[in-house]
PDB file of all heavy atoms in Angstrom:
ATOM      1  N   SER O  25      26.417   4.307  20.569  1.00  0.00           N
ATOM      2  CA  SER O  25      27.371   3.430  21.389  1.00  0.00           C
ATOM      3  C   SER O  25      26.790   2.078  21.674  1.00  0.00           C
ATOM      4  O   SER O  25      27.090   1.438  22.669  1.00  0.00           O
ATOM      5  CB  SER O  25      27.632   4.195  22.750  1.00  0.00           C
ATOM      6  OG  SER O  25      26.379   4.564  23.338  1.00  0.00           O
ATOM      7  N   GLY O  26      26.015   1.541  20.661  1.00  0.00           N
ATOM      8  CA  GLY O  26      25.543   0.030  20.743  1.00  0.00           C
ATOM      9  C   GLY O  26      26.684  -0.859  20.780  1.00  0.00           C
ATOM     10  O   GLY O  26      27.760  -0.561  20.109  1.00  0.00           O
ATOM     11  N   HIS O  27      26.509  -2.033  21.324  1.00  0.00           N
ATOM     12  CA  HIS O  27      27.492  -3.037  21.430  1.00  0.00           C
ATOM     13  C   HIS O  27      27.446  -4.094  20.342  1.00  0.00           C
ATOM     14  O   HIS O  27      28.268  -4.966  20.274  1.00  0.00           O
ATOM     15  CB  HIS O  27      27.487  -3.813  22.796  1.00  0.00           C
ATOM     16  CG  HIS O  27      27.902  -2.938  23.874  1.00  0.00           C
ATOM     17  ND1 HIS O  27      28.484  -1.736  23.915  1.00  0.00           N
ATOM     18  CD2 HIS O  27      27.502  -3.158  25.207  1.00  0.00           C
ATOM     19  CE1 HIS O  27      28.543  -1.255  25.124  1.00  0.00           C
ATOM     20  NE2 HIS O  27      27.978  -2.059  25.952  1.00  0.00           N
ATOM     21  N   ILE O  28      26.461  -3.990  19.466  1.00  0.00           N
ATOM     22  CA  ILE O  28      26.098  -5.208  18.661  1.00  0.00           C
ATOM     23  C   ILE O  28      26.295  -4.925  17.245  1.00  0.00           C
ATOM     24  O   ILE O  28      27.145  -5.580  16.434  1.00  0.00           O
ATOM     25  CB  ILE O  28      24.746  -5.631  18.945  1.00  0.00           C
ATOM     26  CG1 ILE O  28      24.527  -5.987  20.458  1.00  0.00           C
ATOM     27  CG2 ILE O  28      24.414  -6.895  18.186  1.00  0.00           C
ATOM     28  CD1 ILE O  28      25.497  -7.129  20.984  1.00  0.00           C
ATOM     29  N   ILE O  51      25.677 -12.865  15.722  1.00  0.00           N
ATOM     30  CA  ILE O  51      24.802 -12.937  16.907  1.00  0.00           C
ATOM     31  C   ILE O  51      23.404 -13.364  16.434  1.00  0.00           C
ATOM     32  O   ILE O  51      22.851 -14.301  17.005  1.00  0.00           O
ATOM     33  CB  ILE O  51      24.847 -11.693  17.605  1.00  0.00           C
ATOM     34  CG1 ILE O  51      26.212 -11.495  18.305  1.00  0.00           C
ATOM     35  CG2 ILE O  51      23.663 -11.599  18.673  1.00  0.00           C
ATOM     36  CD1 ILE O  51      26.358 -10.096  18.979  1.00  0.00           C
ATOM     37  N   PHE O  52      22.916 -12.811  15.400  1.00  0.00           N
ATOM     38  CA  PHE O  52      21.594 -13.156  14.967  1.00  0.00           C
ATOM     39  C   PHE O  52      21.697 -14.141  13.785  1.00  0.00           C
ATOM     40  O   PHE O  52      21.936 -13.737  12.599  1.00  0.00           O
ATOM     41  CB  PHE O  52      20.824 -11.782  14.550  1.00  0.00           C
ATOM     42  CG  PHE O  52      20.466 -10.975  15.675  1.00  0.00           C
ATOM     43  CD1 PHE O  52      21.248  -9.905  16.051  1.00  0.00           C
ATOM     44  CD2 PHE O  52      19.428 -11.283  16.593  1.00  0.00           C
ATOM     45  CE1 PHE O  52      21.073  -9.120  17.223  1.00  0.00           C
ATOM     46  CE2 PHE O  52      19.099 -10.459  17.675  1.00  0.00           C
ATOM     47  CZ  PHE O  52      19.929  -9.450  17.941  1.00  0.00           C
ATOM     48  N   LEU O 147      16.674 -15.414  19.762  1.00  0.00           N
ATOM     49  CA  LEU O 147      17.845 -15.695  20.597  1.00  0.00           C
ATOM     50  C   LEU O 147      17.307 -16.532  21.778  1.00  0.00           C
ATOM     51  O   LEU O 147      17.084 -15.970  22.800  1.00  0.00           O
ATOM     52  CB  LEU O 147      18.519 -14.353  21.053  1.00  0.00           C
ATOM     53  CG  LEU O 147      19.155 -13.452  20.072  1.00  0.00           C
ATOM     54  CD1 LEU O 147      19.493 -12.095  20.684  1.00  0.00           C
ATOM     55  CD2 LEU O 147      20.308 -14.115  19.361  1.00  0.00           C
ATOM     56  N   PHE O 150      17.439 -16.223  25.984  1.00  0.00           N
ATOM     57  CA  PHE O 150      18.291 -14.985  26.093  1.00  0.00           C
ATOM     58  C   PHE O 150      18.532 -14.611  27.554  1.00  0.00           C
ATOM     59  O   PHE O 150      19.682 -14.192  27.866  1.00  0.00           O
ATOM     60  CB  PHE O 150      17.571 -13.874  25.256  1.00  0.00           C
ATOM     61  CG  PHE O 150      18.434 -12.735  25.038  1.00  0.00           C
ATOM     62  CD1 PHE O 150      19.743 -12.710  24.442  1.00  0.00           C
ATOM     63  CD2 PHE O 150      18.036 -11.339  25.470  1.00  0.00           C
ATOM     64  CE1 PHE O 150      20.512 -11.723  24.270  1.00  0.00           C
ATOM     65  CE2 PHE O 150      18.767 -10.286  25.169  1.00  0.00           C
ATOM     66  CZ  PHE O 150      20.078 -10.397  24.604  1.00  0.00           C
ATOM     67  N   ASN O 208      13.477  -6.730  26.276  1.00  0.00           N
ATOM     68  CA  ASN O 208      14.668  -7.554  26.536  1.00  0.00           C
ATOM     69  C   ASN O 208      15.965  -6.870  26.397  1.00  0.00           C
ATOM     70  O   ASN O 208      16.991  -7.512  26.530  1.00  0.00           O
ATOM     71  CB  ASN O 208      14.673  -8.908  25.724  1.00  0.00           C
ATOM     72  CG  ASN O 208      13.495  -9.904  26.252  1.00  0.00           C
ATOM     73  OD1 ASN O 208      13.360  -9.952  27.399  1.00  0.00           O
ATOM     74  ND2 ASN O 208      12.761 -10.273  25.178  1.00  0.00           N
ATOM     75  N   ASP O 209      16.034  -5.609  26.053  1.00  0.00           N
ATOM     76  CA  ASP O 209      17.221  -4.905  25.929  1.00  0.00           C
ATOM     77  C   ASP O 209      17.028  -3.407  26.385  1.00  0.00           C
ATOM     78  O   ASP O 209      17.181  -2.466  25.613  1.00  0.00           O
ATOM     79  CB  ASP O 209      17.861  -4.880  24.562  1.00  0.00           C
ATOM     80  CG  ASP O 209      19.328  -4.328  24.528  1.00  0.00           C
ATOM     81  OD1 ASP O 209      19.803  -3.959  25.526  1.00  0.00           O
ATOM     82  OD2 ASP O 209      19.833  -4.295  23.431  1.00  0.00           O
ATOM     83  N   LYS O 211      18.236  -1.108  28.023  1.00  0.00           N
ATOM     84  CA  LYS O 211      19.220  -0.232  28.589  1.00  0.00           C
ATOM     85  C   LYS O 211      18.950   1.162  28.075  1.00  0.00           C
ATOM     86  O   LYS O 211      18.263   1.252  27.150  1.00  0.00           O
ATOM     87  CB  LYS O 211      20.680  -0.620  28.354  1.00  0.00           C
ATOM     88  CG  LYS O 211      21.206  -0.536  26.939  1.00  0.00           C
ATOM     89  CD  LYS O 211      22.708  -0.997  27.014  1.00  0.00           C
ATOM     90  CE  LYS O 211      23.336  -0.806  25.672  1.00  0.00           C
ATOM     91  NZ  LYS O 211      24.760  -1.457  25.683  1.00  0.00           N
ATOM     92  N   ASN O 213      20.178   3.669  26.668  1.00  0.00           N
ATOM     93  CA  ASN O 213      20.523   4.245  25.358  1.00  0.00           C
ATOM     94  C   ASN O 213      19.620   3.601  24.260  1.00  0.00           C
ATOM     95  O   ASN O 213      19.802   3.908  23.095  1.00  0.00           O
ATOM     96  CB  ASN O 213      22.037   4.235  25.033  1.00  0.00           C
ATOM     97  CG  ASN O 213      22.636   2.894  24.881  1.00  0.00           C
ATOM     98  OD1 ASN O 213      21.878   1.840  24.694  1.00  0.00           O
ATOM     99  ND2 ASN O 213      23.901   2.754  24.906  1.00  0.00           N
ATOM    100  N   ASN O 214      18.630   2.880  24.742  1.00  0.00           N
ATOM    101  CA  ASN O 214      17.659   2.374  23.720  1.00  0.00           C
ATOM    102  C   ASN O 214      16.260   3.103  23.794  1.00  0.00           C
ATOM    103  O   ASN O 214      15.320   2.746  23.377  1.00  0.00           O
ATOM    104  CB  ASN O 214      17.447   0.891  23.800  1.00  0.00           C
ATOM    105  CG  ASN O 214      18.606   0.047  23.264  1.00  0.00           C
ATOM    106  OD1 ASN O 214      19.251   0.493  22.381  1.00  0.00           O
ATOM    107  ND2 ASN O 214      18.915  -1.078  23.944  1.00  0.00           N
ATOM    108  N   ASP O 228      15.730  -0.206  19.106  1.00  0.00           N
ATOM    109  CA  ASP O 228      16.546  -1.418  19.230  1.00  0.00           C
ATOM    110  C   ASP O 228      15.606  -2.605  19.580  1.00  0.00           C
ATOM    111  O   ASP O 228      15.641  -3.291  20.592  1.00  0.00           O
ATOM    112  CB  ASP O 228      17.640  -1.259  20.405  1.00  0.00           C
ATOM    113  CG  ASP O 228      18.701  -2.266  20.067  1.00  0.00           C
ATOM    114  OD1 ASP O 228      18.569  -3.246  19.397  1.00  0.00           O
ATOM    115  OD2 ASP O 228      19.851  -2.087  20.755  1.00  0.00           O
ATOM    116  N   THR O 231      15.590  -7.589  20.071  1.00  0.00           N
ATOM    117  CA  THR O 231      15.364  -8.675  21.008  1.00  0.00           C
ATOM    118  C   THR O 231      13.935  -8.788  21.551  1.00  0.00           C
ATOM    119  O   THR O 231      13.775  -9.470  22.625  1.00  0.00           O
ATOM    120  CB  THR O 231      16.356  -8.546  22.205  1.00  0.00           C
ATOM    121  OG1 THR O 231      16.209  -7.160  22.694  1.00  0.00           O
ATOM    122  CG2 THR O 231      17.756  -8.806  21.797  1.00  0.00           C
ATOM    123  N   ASP O 243      16.790  -4.567  33.695  1.00  0.00           N
ATOM    124  CA  ASP O 243      17.865  -4.074  32.816  1.00  0.00           C
ATOM    125  C   ASP O 243      17.855  -2.611  32.738  1.00  0.00           C
ATOM    126  O   ASP O 243      18.856  -1.934  32.679  1.00  0.00           O
ATOM    127  CB  ASP O 243      17.673  -4.724  31.446  1.00  0.00           C
ATOM    128  CG  ASP O 243      18.923  -4.574  30.647  1.00  0.00           C
ATOM    129  OD1 ASP O 243      20.005  -4.110  31.219  1.00  0.00           O
ATOM    130  OD2 ASP O 243      18.956  -4.866  29.374  1.00  0.00           O
ATOM    131  N   ARG O 246      19.477  -1.207  35.778  1.00  0.00           N
ATOM    132  CA  ARG O 246      20.884  -1.420  35.727  1.00  0.00           C
ATOM    133  C   ARG O 246      21.669  -0.281  35.093  1.00  0.00           C
ATOM    134  O   ARG O 246      22.754   0.106  35.505  1.00  0.00           O
ATOM    135  CB  ARG O 246      21.118  -2.660  34.901  1.00  0.00           C
ATOM    136  CG  ARG O 246      22.635  -3.084  34.709  1.00  0.00           C
ATOM    137  CD  ARG O 246      22.649  -4.380  33.780  1.00  0.00           C
ATOM    138  NE  ARG O 246      22.494  -4.018  32.380  1.00  0.00           N
ATOM    139  CZ  ARG O 246      23.397  -3.441  31.592  1.00  0.00           C
ATOM    140  NH1 ARG O 246      24.579  -3.299  31.960  1.00  0.00           N
ATOM    141  NH2 ARG O 246      23.155  -3.177  30.298  1.00  0.00           N
ATOM    142  N   GLU O 254      28.131   1.793  32.476  1.00  0.00           N
ATOM    143  CA  GLU O 254      28.239   0.305  32.666  1.00  0.00           C
ATOM    144  C   GLU O 254      29.750  -0.114  32.616  1.00  0.00           C
ATOM    145  O   GLU O 254      30.052  -1.229  33.087  1.00  0.00           O
ATOM    146  CB  GLU O 254      27.405  -0.564  31.774  1.00  0.00           C
ATOM    147  CG  GLU O 254      27.809  -0.519  30.325  1.00  0.00           C
ATOM    148  CD  GLU O 254      27.113  -1.447  29.495  1.00  0.00           C
ATOM    149  OE1 GLU O 254      26.023  -2.023  29.872  1.00  0.00           O
ATOM    150  OE2 GLU O 254      27.450  -1.540  28.276  1.00  0.00           O
ATOM    151  N   ILE O 303      23.766  -9.867  33.128  1.00  0.00           N
ATOM    152  CA  ILE O 303      24.473  -9.070  32.067  1.00  0.00           C
ATOM    153  C   ILE O 303      25.959  -9.115  32.487  1.00  0.00           C
ATOM    154  O   ILE O 303      26.903  -9.227  31.654  1.00  0.00           O
ATOM    155  CB  ILE O 303      23.842  -7.765  31.726  1.00  0.00           C
ATOM    156  CG1 ILE O 303      22.620  -8.159  31.015  1.00  0.00           C
ATOM    157  CG2 ILE O 303      24.778  -6.931  30.823  1.00  0.00           C
ATOM    158  CD1 ILE O 303      21.524  -7.073  30.993  1.00  0.00           C
ATOM    159  N   ARG O 306      27.557 -12.215  31.385  1.00  0.00           N
ATOM    160  CA  ARG O 306      27.738 -12.228  30.018  1.00  0.00           C
ATOM    161  C   ARG O 306      29.040 -11.480  29.689  1.00  0.00           C
ATOM    162  O   ARG O 306      29.740 -11.833  28.776  1.00  0.00           O
ATOM    163  CB  ARG O 306      26.486 -11.574  29.320  1.00  0.00           C
ATOM    164  CG  ARG O 306      25.191 -12.551  29.320  1.00  0.00           C
ATOM    165  CD  ARG O 306      24.057 -11.852  28.724  1.00  0.00           C
ATOM    166  NE  ARG O 306      24.237 -11.534  27.326  1.00  0.00           N
ATOM    167  CZ  ARG O 306      23.631 -10.675  26.601  1.00  0.00           C
ATOM    168  NH1 ARG O 306      22.688 -10.011  27.254  1.00  0.00           N
ATOM    169  NH2 ARG O 306      23.866 -10.427  25.332  1.00  0.00           N
ATOM    170  N   PHE O 307      29.254 -10.326  30.360  1.00  0.00           N
ATOM    171  CA  PHE O 307      30.440  -9.659  30.112  1.00  0.00           C
ATOM    172  C   PHE O 307      31.678 -10.448  30.431  1.00  0.00           C
ATOM    173  O   PHE O 307      32.709 -10.577  29.736  1.00  0.00           O
ATOM    174  CB  PHE O 307      30.479  -8.317  30.889  1.00  0.00           C
ATOM    175  CG  PHE O 307      29.579  -7.160  30.395  1.00  0.00           C
ATOM    176  CD1 PHE O 307      28.924  -6.414  31.367  1.00  0.00           C
ATOM    177  CD2 PHE O 307      29.311  -7.018  29.111  1.00  0.00           C
ATOM    178  CE1 PHE O 307      28.029  -5.372  30.936  1.00  0.00           C
ATOM    179  CE2 PHE O 307      28.471  -5.971  28.607  1.00  0.00           C
ATOM    180  CZ  PHE O 307      27.798  -5.260  29.520  1.00  0.00           C
ATOM    181  N   TYR O 317      31.952 -11.430  21.507  1.00  0.00           N
ATOM    182  CA  TYR O 317      30.462 -11.012  21.409  1.00  0.00           C
ATOM    183  C   TYR O 317      30.318  -9.473  21.402  1.00  0.00           C
ATOM    184  O   TYR O 317      29.928  -8.977  20.443  1.00  0.00           O
ATOM    185  CB  TYR O 317      29.763 -11.815  22.565  1.00  0.00           C
ATOM    186  CG  TYR O 317      28.163 -11.586  22.383  1.00  0.00           C
ATOM    187  CD1 TYR O 317      27.386 -12.637  21.853  1.00  0.00           C
ATOM    188  CD2 TYR O 317      27.489 -10.411  22.869  1.00  0.00           C
ATOM    189  CE1 TYR O 317      26.019 -12.491  21.757  1.00  0.00           C
ATOM    190  CE2 TYR O 317      26.218 -10.312  22.799  1.00  0.00           C
ATOM    191  CZ  TYR O 317      25.377 -11.325  22.185  1.00  0.00           C
ATOM    192  OH  TYR O 317      24.011 -11.169  22.121  1.00  0.00           O
ATOM    193  N   PHE O 318      30.598  -8.978  22.504  1.00  0.00           N
ATOM    194  CA  PHE O 318      30.402  -7.401  22.717  1.00  0.00           C
ATOM    195  C   PHE O 318      31.462  -6.741  21.993  1.00  0.00           C
ATOM    196  O   PHE O 318      32.670  -7.113  22.145  1.00  0.00           O
ATOM    197  CB  PHE O 318      30.286  -7.084  24.107  1.00  0.00           C
ATOM    198  CG  PHE O 318      29.193  -7.727  24.882  1.00  0.00           C
ATOM    199  CD1 PHE O 318      29.338  -8.716  25.872  1.00  0.00           C
ATOM    200  CD2 PHE O 318      27.791  -7.210  24.698  1.00  0.00           C
ATOM    201  CE1 PHE O 318      28.224  -9.274  26.397  1.00  0.00           C
ATOM    202  CE2 PHE O 318      26.781  -7.803  25.416  1.00  0.00           C
ATOM    203  CZ  PHE O 318      26.923  -8.805  26.318  1.00  0.00           C
TER     204      PHE O 318
HETATM  205  C1  LIG H 402      23.937  -5.236  24.063  1.00  0.00           C
HETATM  206  O1  LIG H 402      22.673  -3.739  21.416  1.00  0.00           O
HETATM  207  P1  LIG H 402      22.815  -3.118  22.765  1.00  0.00           P
HETATM  208  O2  LIG H 402      24.184  -2.479  22.854  1.00  0.00           O
HETATM  209  O3  LIG H 402      21.715  -2.244  23.125  1.00  0.00           O
HETATM  210  C2  LIG H 402      23.160  -6.579  24.236  1.00  0.00           C
HETATM  211  C3  LIG H 402      22.353  -6.585  25.447  1.00  0.00           C
HETATM  212  C4  LIG H 402      23.232  -6.224  26.701  1.00  0.00           C
HETATM  213  C5  LIG H 402      23.935  -4.905  26.426  1.00  0.00           C
HETATM  214  C6  LIG H 402      24.918  -4.649  27.513  1.00  0.00           C
HETATM  215  C7  LIG H 402      21.558  -8.456  21.355  1.00  0.00           C
HETATM  216  O4  LIG H 402      22.823  -4.321  23.869  1.00  0.00           O
HETATM  217  O5  LIG H 402      21.699  -7.839  25.698  1.00  0.00           O
HETATM  218  O6  LIG H 402      22.430  -6.095  27.871  1.00  0.00           O
HETATM  219  O7  LIG H 402      24.620  -4.981  25.154  1.00  0.00           O
HETATM  220  N1  LIG H 402      22.300  -6.987  23.060  1.00  0.00           N
HETATM  221  C8  LIG H 402      22.335  -8.203  22.634  1.00  0.00           C
HETATM  222  O8  LIG H 402      25.321  -3.187  27.413  1.00  0.00           O
HETATM  223  O9  LIG H 402      23.019  -9.184  23.034  1.00  0.00           O
END
Side-chain angles (χ1 to χ4, degrees):
S25 50
H27 296 338
I28 303 297
I51 292 177
F52 293 97
L147 296 173
F150 191 55
N208 293 313
D209 189 4
K211 76 177 182 188
N213 66 17
N214 287 327
D228 204 345
T231 50
D243 194 9
R246 180 185 76 82
E254 72 178 3
I303 292 160
R306 291 175 58 201
F307 288 143
Y317 188 99
F318 297 105

